[in-house]
Amino acid sequence: MSERLQKLIANAGYGSRRWAERLIEQGRISINNKEAKLGDKALVIDKVTIDGRLIDLQRYAEEETKVLILNKQAGVICSNKDAEGRKSVFDFLPKNSRWVMVGRLDLNTSGLLLFTNNGDLANKLMHPSSEVDREYAVRVLGKVEDQHINQLTSGIELDDGFAKFHKVTFAGGDGANRWYHVVVREGRKREVRRLWEALEFKVSRLIRIRFGDIRLPDNLRANESEYLKPKQVQSLLNSVKLKA
């Protein structure tokens, strides 16, 4: 069954539909050696190239959408390859599927990471327009006053634009270090750390504990993964208006 070319490219995990549409408009995509045009349809077995490079439209073509959660350990990278030979999150995933990572965590951040075999789902969950909550537990060094919380939730101008926490909740601790739970709705690089650092606080530990309605299970050990239940997968699909 043929489908719109941009949808097939998104389903295969190469980028969003809008991104594929731009490449088509720029004449950078071809189908079976002919330049593609907006509105063109294709089959997953057709020869499709981007900038002359053949892509695999079947690499995530499976009957059922699968989603994995991984409890990433600090010090593990989110890239497939590393010149320094460090462990990657992909080293800890089942080998029976090709996995698309939903967002990233920086080297020193631990906690919840999602992976899926559905490229379209991954792209929609990561897109800012979806406004999916990302909740972190953060340990902060320094005395946090009400005025600081107000600034963090009202918004602060960072070097890449305006940013804020949608919610900040005190989560315990005494002495110099205190724990807070914070919620952001974008996946900007080091956003949580940079917001605290803008007010001269030091983040000594950062753990992602929730993505949308999916929470990090208490019994999931570091670098262990598990499949989401079908109802949880369906909830994620519904949240971005996708069919199973």
Side-chain angles (χ1 to χ4, degrees):
M1 181 178 175
S2 63
E3 293 193 82
R4 290 288 177 98
L5 181 57
Q6 60 266 36
K7 181 180 179 181
L8 291 176
I9 291 172
N11 286 346
Y14 289 99
S16 68
R17 294 189 195 187
R18 188 169 297 178
W19 174 81
E21 288 171 356
R22 287 200 299 269
L23 295 193
I24 293 170
E25 290 173 338
Q26 294 165 8
R28 296 167 60 186
I29 298 181
S30 70
I31 309 173
N32 299 325
N33 299 315
K34 293 183 179 179
E35 184 177 312
K37 294 192 170 34
L38 278 180
D40 281 353
K41 293 187 176 183
L43 300 169
V44 292
I45 59 173
D46 284 331
K47 180 182 176 182
V48 175
T49 63
I50 298 178
D51 294 332
R53 184 175 179 179
L54 185 66
I55 63 173
D56 181 8
L57 294 179
Q58 300 186 75
R59 64 178 187 167
Y60 300 123
E62 299 190 29
E63 293 182 0
E64 180 185 12
T65 292
K66 299 176 185 176
V67 181
L68 269 178
I69 55 175
L70 174 79
N71 185 5
K72 175 189 172 297
Q73 187 176 35
V76 175
I77 64 170
C78 285
S79 301
N80 260 315
K81 298 179 181 178
D82 180 54
E84 299 178 32
R86 293 172 294 187
K87 281 287 187 181
S88 162
V89 291
F90 291 95
D91 295 332
F92 304 103
L93 303 182
K95 308 302 181 187
N96 59 348
S97 291
R98 297 197 184 202
W99 299 106
V100 184
M101 182 166 51
V102 181
R104 303 171 68 89
L105 293 176
D106 66 38
L107 180 66
N108 296 315
T109 300
S110 60
L112 179 64
L113 264 178
L114 294 182
F115 297 84
T116 179
N117 61 348
N118 185 328
D120 207 10
L121 173 62
N123 287 316
K124 286 185 176 293
L125 287 172
M126 287 186 283
H127 198 279
S129 64
S130 296
E131 295 190 331
V132 179
D133 281 359
R134 298 152 169 88
E135 185 174 355
Y136 294 80
V138 52
R139 187 172 67 188
V140 178
L141 178 62
K143 188 176 182 182
V144 180
E145 306 283 1
D146 288 344
Q147 66 185 41
H148 299 129
I149 302 297
N150 291 335
Q151 285 179 273
L152 291 166
T153 53
S154 298
I156 294 173
E157 191 69 32
L158 302 177
D159 55 9
D160 59 349
F162 186 79
K164 68 177 183 178
F165 293 137
H166 287 265
K167 189 176 182 181
V168 179
T169 308
F170 178 64
D174 50 26
N177 289 290
R178 304 290 178 94
W179 283 94
Y180 291 85
H181 287 184
V182 301
V183 175
V184 293
R185 289 180 179 164
E186 291 182 277
R188 272 196 260 178
K189 187 175 181 180
R190 299 185 72 253
E191 184 177 10
V192 175
R193 294 182 188 274
R194 290 189 295 139
L195 277 166
W196 285 104
E197 289 167 359
L199 299 183
E200 299 185 352
F201 290 102
K202 181 180 179 180
V203 173
S204 56
R205 196 169 176 198
L206 185 60
I207 309 165
R208 183 152 69 192
I209 57 175
R210 181 171 64 88
F211 190 100
D213 292 332
I214 309 303
R215 289 192 172 274
L216 181 66
D218 292 334
N219 61 351
L220 191 63
R221 295 180 180 179
N223 295 330
E224 283 191 348
S225 64
E226 66 178 34
Y227 288 95
L228 290 187
K229 296 176 182 178
K231 285 185 178 180
Q232 293 174 300
V233 174
Q234 189 60 56
S235 177
L236 279 177
L237 290 164
N238 292 342
S239 71
V240 291
K241 298 180 174 61
L242 281 179
K243 294 181 180 179

